[in-house]
């Protein structure tokens, strides 16, 4: 690409960068979703009003979550360079960016899940336990289904957060739209490419939000 390439000429690179962003965000979200649900359930269950209260476990998990969430993503990227190289063999590229994105996403989504579970009426949990349901059955058949709307809403929020974070991954050569905007837009003073990347990011975020909102409306109508 030349410095003065137009946004139309940059369409192939934009498409590649878009696919890289979708790949990074998609894989990291799946990891964050799985890890976040497990961690969020543990935080809720070990709470003083949970199924298995444990102050020590809850405080340790909560502290770890708060520490990771308090770090700016760009700082987390740098701190995890060594771990990223250890896991994927390189610290640059879309696959490498999945590591810090996932680690940032797990505690974020865990808090979302914890908050959604806290909204479930305690009476339903107590009723299930009184009928002989095990802790795992209460979690699978009462807590998670009842908190589904909050978890879906939180999933949309997490995806949007990951899109923004994936753009910052371009600072260390993480690929995707952020990398394209930085290298061929900002650093080469090519406003057309820079604006095109921003527009694609906005469209991607709006698409995610529309799908999430539509899913919530469809679920509300069924209920």
């Amino acid at each position: 690409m030349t410095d003065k390439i137009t946004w139309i000429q940059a369409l192939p690179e934009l498409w590649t960068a878009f696919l890289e962003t979708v790949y990074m965000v998609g894989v990291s979200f799946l990891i964050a979703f799985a890890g976040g649900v497990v961690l969020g359930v543990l935080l809720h269950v070990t709470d003083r009003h949970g199924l298995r209260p444990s102050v020590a476990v809850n405080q340790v998990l909560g502290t770890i979550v708060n520490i990771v969430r308090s770090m700016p993503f760009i700082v987390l990227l740098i701190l995890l360079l060594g771990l990223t190289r250890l896991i994927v063999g390189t610290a640059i590229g879309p696959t490498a960016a999945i590591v810090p994105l996932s680690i940032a996403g797990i505690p974020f989504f865990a808090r979302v899940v914890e908050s959604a579970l806290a909204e479930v009426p305690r009476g339903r949990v107590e009723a299930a336990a009184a009928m002989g349901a095990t802790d795992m059955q209460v979690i699978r058949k009462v807590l998670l289904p009842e908190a589904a709307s909050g978890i879906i809403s939180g999933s949309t929020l997490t995806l949007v957060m990951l899109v923004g974070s994936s753009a910052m991954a371009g600072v260390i050569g993480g690929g995707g739209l952020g990398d394209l905007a930085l290298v061929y837009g900002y650093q080469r003073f090519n406003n057309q490419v820079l604006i095109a990347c921003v527009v694609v990011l906005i469209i991607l975020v709006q698409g995610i939000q529309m799908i999430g909102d539509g899913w919530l409306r469809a679920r509300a109508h069924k209920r």
Side-chain angles (χ1 to χ4, degrees), residues 127-149:
M131 289 187 289
T134 64
D135 290 348
M136 189 57 65
Q137 288 173 330
V138 171
I139 292 170
R140 289 190 299 107
K141 298 183 178 181
V142 179
L143 286 173
L144 289 177
E146 290 293 328
S149 293

Side-chain angles (χ1 to χ4, degrees), residues 11 39 59 78 88 122 134 139 141 145 197:
L11 284 177
L39 185 54
Q59 287 185 346
I78 297 170
V88 300
R122 291 184 63 187
T134 64
I139 292 170
K141 298 183 178 181
C197 291

Side-chain angles (χ1 to χ4, degrees), residues 113 115-125 128 138-152 216 219 223:
V113 173
S115 297
L117 294 174
E119 296 297 320
V120 177
R122 291 184 63 187
R124 297 187 182 182
V125 176
V138 171
I139 292 170
R140 289 190 299 107
K141 298 183 178 181
V142 179
L143 286 173
L144 289 177
E146 290 293 328
S149 293
I151 293 174
I152 292 171
L216 280 176
R219 178 178 172 79
R223 300 183 67 171

Side-chain angles (χ1 to χ4, degrees), residues 12-74:
E13 287 77 13
L14 277 169
W15 176 247
T16 299
F18 172 76
L19 292 180
E20 289 177 347
T21 297
V22 170
Y23 165 65
M24 286 188 288
V25 172
V27 175
S28 60
F29 172 73
L30 291 177
I31 297 171
F33 184 90
V37 167
V38 172
L39 185 54
V41 168
L42 285 173
L43 285 167
H44 178 73
V45 168
T46 58
D47 183 71
R48 59 194 180 95
H49 297 302
L51 292 171
R52 286 289 179 269
S54 176
V55 175
V57 173
N58 190 267
Q59 287 185 346
V60 170
L61 293 177
T63 300
I64 294 172
V65 167
N66 291 337
I67 290 173
V68 177
R69 288 189 64 195
S70 66
M71 289 186 186
F73 184 69
I74 188 66

Side-chain angles (χ1 to χ4, degrees), residues 77-78 92 212:
L77 274 173
I78 297 170
I92 60 173

Side-chain angles (χ1 to χ4, degrees), residues 100-117:
L101 284 172
S102 300
I103 292 176
I106 289 173
F108 182 90
F109 192 64
R111 286 301 189 192
V112 168
V113 173
E114 182 189 18
S115 297
L117 294 174

